[in-house]
Structure formats: structure tokens, C-alpha cells
Amino acid sequence: MVTREEILVLGLKAGVTGSLVGGLMLGIGLGLVVNNVHAGWVLVLPAAPISGMLGYWMARGLSRRAASRD
């Protein structure tokens, strides 16, 4: 069974990691787009889905560890 502590730590880790990765991708991509390097859209468009997927992968790992403990 997953404890409250593990859920709290998962939320904090997923939030911080997602914000850092998504923010960096968005910032670098928009910086490129503003300077007429249209390849920057490759970083801008998937920034939010990729940062969300990081949290999803962390949650899947937590559920696997919890299932193996039982």
C-alpha cells in the first residue's frame, strides 16, 4: 500500500521535475522562435506533454514498487 508520505514526495518530485523540464524546453524553444529559428517549435510544442509524462512515469514506478512490496 502506498503511504501518504510517498504520495506527497511523488507530487513534489513530479511538480519540480515537470516544471524544470517543461520550462527549459519552453524557454529555449521560444528564444529560438523569437530569433527566427523556426526549429524552436520542435521544443515548444511538446514541452507540456513531456513534462506531464515525467510525472506519469514516476507514478507508475511508485505503483510498481508498492505492488512488489505486497
Side-chain angles (χ1 to χ4, degrees):
M1 180 167 188
V2 180
T3 64
R4 284 179 162 180
E5 177 187 357
E6 290 171 329
I7 293 172
L8 177 66
V9 171
L10 170 67
L12 291 171
K13 283 177 20 182
V16 169
T17 305
S19 296
L20 287 173
V21 171
L24 283 172
M25 288 179 70
L26 191 65
I28 293 169
L30 283 176
L32 290 171
V33 170
V34 166
N35 290 316
N36 289 326
V37 180
H38 295 294
W41 287 110
V42 174
L43 291 174
V44 172
L45 294 175
I50 288 176
S51 62
M53 286 301 292
L54 289 172
Y56 178 73
W57 288 331
M58 287 181 194
R60 284 184 56 124
L62 177 62
S63 66
R64 282 193 193 124
R65 281 196 309 268
S68 67
R69 282 188 275 182
D70 293 339

